[in-house]
PDB file of all heavy atoms in Angstrom:
ATOM      1  N   TRP G  67     -66.163-101.354  57.681  1.00  0.00           N
ATOM      2  CA  TRP G  67     -67.540-101.023  58.057  1.00  0.00           C
ATOM      3  C   TRP G  67     -68.012 -99.785  57.305  1.00  0.00           C
ATOM      4  O   TRP G  67     -69.124 -99.760  56.740  1.00  0.00           O
ATOM      5  CB  TRP G  67     -67.599-100.805  59.567  1.00  0.00           C
ATOM      6  CG  TRP G  67     -68.956-100.434  60.107  1.00  0.00           C
ATOM      7  CD1 TRP G  67     -70.162-100.539  59.468  1.00  0.00           C
ATOM      8  CD2 TRP G  67     -69.242 -99.901  61.402  1.00  0.00           C
ATOM      9  NE1 TRP G  67     -71.180-100.096  60.290  1.00  0.00           N
ATOM     10  CE2 TRP G  67     -70.647 -99.714  61.477  1.00  0.00           C
ATOM     11  CE3 TRP G  67     -68.458 -99.577  62.512  1.00  0.00           C
ATOM     12  CZ2 TRP G  67     -71.261 -99.199  62.618  1.00  0.00           C
ATOM     13  CZ3 TRP G  67     -69.083 -99.077  63.642  1.00  0.00           C
ATOM     14  CH2 TRP G  67     -70.467 -98.888  63.686  1.00  0.00           C
ATOM     15  N   GLN G  68     -67.176 -98.756  57.257  1.00  0.00           N
ATOM     16  CA  GLN G  68     -67.549 -97.502  56.592  1.00  0.00           C
ATOM     17  C   GLN G  68     -67.767 -97.690  55.101  1.00  0.00           C
ATOM     18  O   GLN G  68     -68.706 -97.135  54.526  1.00  0.00           O
ATOM     19  CB  GLN G  68     -66.463 -96.457  56.826  1.00  0.00           C
ATOM     20  CG  GLN G  68     -66.742 -95.108  56.164  1.00  0.00           C
ATOM     21  CD  GLN G  68     -65.689 -94.085  56.512  1.00  0.00           C
ATOM     22  OE1 GLN G  68     -65.298 -93.945  57.672  1.00  0.00           O
ATOM     23  NE2 GLN G  68     -65.205 -93.362  55.517  1.00  0.00           N
ATOM     24  N   SER G  69     -66.911 -98.464  54.461  1.00  0.00           N
ATOM     25  CA  SER G  69     -67.015 -98.634  53.006  1.00  0.00           C
ATOM     26  C   SER G  69     -68.247 -99.436  52.602  1.00  0.00           C
ATOM     27  O   SER G  69     -68.785 -99.256  51.502  1.00  0.00           O
ATOM     28  CB  SER G  69     -65.751 -99.315  52.466  1.00  0.00           C
ATOM     29  OG  SER G  69     -65.616-100.628  52.992  1.00  0.00           O
ATOM     30  N   LEU G  70     -68.715-100.319  53.481  1.00  0.00           N
ATOM     31  CA  LEU G  70     -69.867-101.163  53.161  1.00  0.00           C
ATOM     32  C   LEU G  70     -71.182-100.557  53.624  1.00  0.00           C
ATOM     33  O   LEU G  70     -72.253-100.991  53.194  1.00  0.00           O
ATOM     34  CB  LEU G  70     -69.701-102.546  53.804  1.00  0.00           C
ATOM     35  CG  LEU G  70     -68.496-103.368  53.338  1.00  0.00           C
ATOM     36  CD1 LEU G  70     -68.446-104.691  54.081  1.00  0.00           C
ATOM     37  CD2 LEU G  70     -68.545-103.605  51.829  1.00  0.00           C
ATOM     38  N   ARG G  71     -71.114 -99.551  54.496  1.00  0.00           N
ATOM     39  CA  ARG G  71     -72.326 -98.979  55.082  1.00  0.00           C
ATOM     40  C   ARG G  71     -73.131 -98.203  54.021  1.00  0.00           C
ATOM     41  O   ARG G  71     -72.614 -97.327  53.347  1.00  0.00           O
ATOM     42  CB  ARG G  71     -71.943 -98.048  56.235  1.00  0.00           C
ATOM     43  CG  ARG G  71     -73.122 -97.515  57.022  1.00  0.00           C
ATOM     44  CD  ARG G  71     -72.637 -96.765  58.262  1.00  0.00           C
ATOM     45  NE  ARG G  71     -73.756 -96.273  59.060  1.00  0.00           N
ATOM     46  CZ  ARG G  71     -74.229 -95.037  58.977  1.00  0.00           C
ATOM     47  NH1 ARG G  71     -73.660 -94.157  58.163  1.00  0.00           N
ATOM     48  NH2 ARG G  71     -75.252 -94.669  59.713  1.00  0.00           N
ATOM     49  N   GLY G  72     -74.386 -98.546  53.879  1.00  0.00           N
ATOM     50  CA  GLY G  72     -75.274 -97.801  52.997  1.00  0.00           C
ATOM     51  C   GLY G  72     -75.138 -98.134  51.528  1.00  0.00           C
ATOM     52  O   GLY G  72     -75.586 -97.381  50.675  1.00  0.00           O
ATOM     53  N   GLY G  73     -74.557 -99.299  51.207  1.00  0.00           N
ATOM     54  CA  GLY G  73     -74.437 -99.634  49.793  1.00  0.00           C
ATOM     55  C   GLY G  73     -73.918-101.037  49.541  1.00  0.00           C
ATOM     56  O   GLY G  73     -74.091-101.581  48.453  1.00  0.00           O
ATOM     57  N   GLY G  74     -73.263-101.614  50.529  1.00  0.00           N
ATOM     58  CA  GLY G  74     -72.773-102.978  50.388  1.00  0.00           C
ATOM     59  C   GLY G  74     -71.525-103.078  49.532  1.00  0.00           C
ATOM     60  O   GLY G  74     -70.906-102.083  49.150  1.00  0.00           O
ATOM     61  N   ILE G  75     -71.186-104.316  49.216  1.00  0.00           N
ATOM     62  CA  ILE G  75     -69.941-104.592  48.495  1.00  0.00           C
ATOM     63  C   ILE G  75     -69.956-103.995  47.090  1.00  0.00           C
ATOM     64  O   ILE G  75     -68.954-103.450  46.624  1.00  0.00           O
ATOM     65  CB  ILE G  75     -69.704-106.120  48.422  1.00  0.00           C
ATOM     66  CG1 ILE G  75     -69.486-106.682  49.829  1.00  0.00           C
ATOM     67  CG2 ILE G  75     -68.499-106.434  47.538  1.00  0.00           C
ATOM     68  CD1 ILE G  75     -69.343-108.188  49.884  1.00  0.00           C
ATOM     69  N   ARG G  76     -71.082-104.087  46.401  1.00  0.00           N
ATOM     70  CA  ARG G  76     -71.150-103.609  45.007  1.00  0.00           C
ATOM     71  C   ARG G  76     -70.829-102.115  44.930  1.00  0.00           C
ATOM     72  O   ARG G  76     -70.057-101.674  44.055  1.00  0.00           O
ATOM     73  CB  ARG G  76     -72.539-103.892  44.435  1.00  0.00           C
ATOM     74  CG  ARG G  76     -72.723-103.420  42.992  1.00  0.00           C
ATOM     75  CD  ARG G  76     -71.703-104.078  42.069  1.00  0.00           C
ATOM     76  NE  ARG G  76     -71.814-103.575  40.716  1.00  0.00           N
ATOM     77  CZ  ARG G  76     -72.628-104.110  39.784  1.00  0.00           C
ATOM     78  NH1 ARG G  76     -73.396-105.151  40.093  1.00  0.00           N
ATOM     79  NH2 ARG G  76     -72.669-103.620  38.568  1.00  0.00           N
ATOM     80  N   ALA G  77     -71.432-101.327  45.811  1.00  0.00           N
ATOM     81  CA  ALA G  77     -71.188 -99.885  45.809  1.00  0.00           C
ATOM     82  C   ALA G  77     -69.728 -99.578  46.134  1.00  0.00           C
ATOM     83  O   ALA G  77     -69.126 -98.677  45.543  1.00  0.00           O
ATOM     84  CB  ALA G  77     -72.106 -99.193  46.811  1.00  0.00           C
ATOM     85  N   ALA G  78     -69.148-100.337  47.076  1.00  0.00           N
ATOM     86  CA  ALA G  78     -67.744-100.126  47.442  1.00  0.00           C
ATOM     87  C   ALA G  78     -66.821-100.449  46.273  1.00  0.00           C
ATOM     88  O   ALA G  78     -65.852 -99.729  46.014  1.00  0.00           O
ATOM     89  CB  ALA G  78     -67.387-100.990  48.652  1.00  0.00           C
ATOM     90  N   VAL G  79     -67.126-101.526  45.547  1.00  0.00           N
ATOM     91  CA  VAL G  79     -66.311-101.912  44.387  1.00  0.00           C
ATOM     92  C   VAL G  79     -66.406-100.859  43.282  1.00  0.00           C
ATOM     93  O   VAL G  79     -65.408-100.495  42.653  1.00  0.00           O
ATOM     94  CB  VAL G  79     -66.750-103.293  43.856  1.00  0.00           C
ATOM     95  CG1 VAL G  79     -66.084-103.587  42.508  1.00  0.00           C
ATOM     96  CG2 VAL G  79     -66.410-104.381  44.866  1.00  0.00           C
ATOM     97  N   ASP G  80     -67.607-100.343  43.052  1.00  0.00           N
ATOM     98  CA  ASP G  80     -67.803 -99.331  42.010  1.00  0.00           C
ATOM     99  C   ASP G  80     -67.002 -98.065  42.288  1.00  0.00           C
ATOM    100  O   ASP G  80     -66.335 -97.515  41.416  1.00  0.00           O
ATOM    101  CB  ASP G  80     -69.292 -98.979  41.888  1.00  0.00           C
ATOM    102  CG  ASP G  80     -70.106-100.098  41.253  1.00  0.00           C
ATOM    103  OD1 ASP G  80     -69.495-101.003  40.652  1.00  0.00           O
ATOM    104  OD2 ASP G  80     -71.344-100.067  41.374  1.00  0.00           O
ATOM    105  N   VAL G  81     -67.068 -97.584  43.530  1.00  0.00           N
ATOM    106  CA  VAL G  81     -66.370 -96.348  43.860  1.00  0.00           C
ATOM    107  C   VAL G  81     -64.858 -96.584  43.901  1.00  0.00           C
ATOM    108  O   VAL G  81     -64.075 -95.693  43.557  1.00  0.00           O
ATOM    109  CB  VAL G  81     -66.899 -95.763  45.194  1.00  0.00           C
ATOM    110  CG1 VAL G  81     -66.332 -96.506  46.394  1.00  0.00           C
ATOM    111  CG2 VAL G  81     -66.581 -94.284  45.302  1.00  0.00           C
ATOM    112  N   ALA G  82     -64.433 -97.789  44.271  1.00  0.00           N
ATOM    113  CA  ALA G  82     -63.002 -98.112  44.250  1.00  0.00           C
ATOM    114  C   ALA G  82     -62.478 -98.101  42.815  1.00  0.00           C
ATOM    115  O   ALA G  82     -61.344 -97.660  42.560  1.00  0.00           O
ATOM    116  CB  ALA G  82     -62.763 -99.477  44.886  1.00  0.00           C
TER     117      ALA G  82
END
Side-chain angles (χ1 to χ4, degrees):
W67 179 15
Q68 179 176 315
S69 64
L70 298 179
R71 186 172 182 263
I75 295 176
R76 179 59 184 271
V79 170
D80 288 345
V81 78

